[in-house]
Amino acid sequence: MGSSTIYEKEIVAIILYTSCFFMIMALFLIVFFYFSRKKIIQKEIEKRDLEIFHQKEQLHAVIITQEEERKRIAQDLHDDISSKLNIVSLNSYLLTSPNLSTAEIKEITDNIINLTAKALDNSRKIAHNLLPPVLDKFGLHAGIEELCDEFESSKSVKVFYQNKIEFDQKDRDRDLHIFRILQELMNNSLRHGKASEINIVFDNDNGIKTCFYKDNGIGFNSNDAQNQKGLGMKNINSRISFINGTINLSSKINKGIEVFFTF
């Protein structure tokens, strides 16, 4: 009887110890998974907050760019178009003056015709900058060709453009973003980079459409983050995000600039 009781007590003790062990292990696992899940959730929240912050930065850059563009257009309209139309109005009023000679009437009329033609030409340029007609009518390839011709017409830069892909003209929003990216890059190459040559190549890399851009300008240190925080680069990065692309920029002093982006 004594040995049987001792044996039973040992069995009970083993069961109790085993149960306690599994309970402790279960508690440990619960605590471990709780804190692991909490950490994962925290990481997801941080990632989401970072994405929201990035989106806000992009939106801010776009808004600033739009405001700058509006100011530029308003300035062009005020300084150029409005001033010319004011002179046209004054000349038109002069035509109502009595006793004007034939020569005076001809001079005033010629002034009105000349100023009106200039105002019309400048208004077309402003409209062209907002949305190039050739881009809207004939697509991105034709739009880029015209853009290259416009830059070459300045006689200060030579542009080499090569296209190895087909652009879908149905995706006009994407095409406009790509056009504006190139326009921004080319303006920077000419104004800041003092480049005399620009190369643009569109290609297809395993189903991914790419663009390689290069100039021979004075360049800058692309490893310095401050050099890539200008309004122009913010605008480019925002547009790259809108077309679900990626971008890589590299440059060295006196080595020009190279830009590779996908879309």
Side-chain angles (χ1 to χ4, degrees):
M1 288 288 292
S3 62
S4 178
T5 302
I6 293 171
Y7 178 73
E8 288 177 355
K9 287 181 178 179
E10 288 177 350
I11 294 296
V12 171
I14 291 170
I15 292 171
L16 286 172
Y17 287 135
T18 305
S19 299
C20 288
F21 173 75
F22 280 116
M23 287 177 67
I24 292 170
M25 285 296 296
L27 183 62
F28 174 78
L29 289 172
I30 289 170
V31 172
F32 173 77
F33 283 119
Y34 170 76
F35 282 105
S36 295
R37 180 61 181 166
K38 188 177 180 181
K39 192 173 182 180
I40 292 170
I41 292 172
Q42 184 65 32
K43 288 289 184 183
E44 289 177 351
I45 291 172
E46 289 175 0
K47 183 181 178 182
R48 186 185 63 185
D49 289 344
L50 189 63
E51 288 175 351
I52 291 172
F53 176 75
H54 185 57
Q55 289 171 357
K56 284 182 178 179
E57 268 203 329
Q58 289 179 335
L59 182 60
H60 182 65
V62 170
I63 290 171
I64 291 176
T65 303
Q66 288 176 341
E67 288 304 315
E68 290 294 325
E69 185 69 7
R70 286 170 182 164
K71 286 179 184 178
R72 186 190 64 78
I73 293 168
Q75 196 72 31
D76 287 345
L77 289 172
H78 178 269
D79 293 348
D80 195 35
I81 308 298
S82 294
S83 63
K84 285 181 172 58
L85 290 177
N86 281 332
I87 298 172
V88 168
S89 177
L90 289 172
N91 276 272
S92 299
Y93 179 75
L94 285 175
L95 285 174
T96 63
S97 300
N99 305 320
L100 287 174
S101 67
T102 303
E104 288 173 329
I105 293 173
K106 185 179 184 306
E107 182 182 354
I108 294 170
T109 304
D110 287 344
N111 283 337
I112 291 173
I113 293 171
N114 185 40
L115 287 167
T116 303
K118 287 181 178 178
L120 284 171
D121 184 54
N122 289 335
S123 66
R124 288 192 195 99
K125 287 179 180 177
I126 292 171
H128 182 276
N129 287 332
L130 289 173
L131 181 62
V134 68
L135 178 66
D136 188 48
K137 290 180 181 179
F138 303 109
L140 183 58
H141 177 64
I144 295 172
E145 283 187 325
E146 184 180 71
L147 182 66
C148 294
D149 289 341
E150 287 175 358
F151 272 81
E152 285 199 326
S153 67
S154 67
K155 305 299 182 183
S156 58
V157 65
K158 184 71 177 174
V159 184
F160 301 93
Y161 168 56
Q162 188 178 10
N163 180 30
K164 301 177 183 179
I165 62 177
E166 288 289 333
F167 295 114
D168 185 358
Q169 291 194 32
K170 294 178 182 178
D171 201 346
R172 294 295 175 87
D173 288 340
R174 184 208 61 184
D175 289 355
L176 182 58
H177 283 308
I178 294 170
F179 181 87
R180 294 302 187 203
I181 289 168
L182 287 176
Q183 195 174 43
E184 186 72 46
L185 289 172
M186 293 172 77
N187 279 327
N188 288 340
S189 292
L190 199 59
R191 294 176 185 174
H192 307 299
K194 312 300 180 186
S196 60
E197 286 187 9
I198 294 173
N199 287 272
I200 302 168
V201 180
F202 282 91
D203 207 346
N204 197 315
D205 184 12
N206 295 322
I208 299 175
K209 292 177 180 177
T210 66
C211 177
F212 177 72
Y213 179 95
K214 180 180 180 181
D215 74 26
N216 67 342
I218 60 176
F220 59 90
N221 182 10
S222 58
N223 292 324
D224 185 351
Q226 288 299 120
N227 289 332
Q228 298 197 34
K229 287 186 177 180
L231 181 60
M233 281 309 302
K234 284 186 177 179
N235 184 27
I236 289 171
N237 286 327
S238 296
R239 293 186 184 279
I240 289 292
S241 179
F242 289 140
I243 60 178
N244 296 318
T246 60
I247 186 168
N248 181 51
L249 182 150
S250 62
S251 180
K252 293 181 180 179
I253 303 296
N254 298 322
K255 296 290 184 180
I257 184 175
E258 291 186 358
V259 181
F260 180 83
F261 67 87
T262 65
F263 56 94

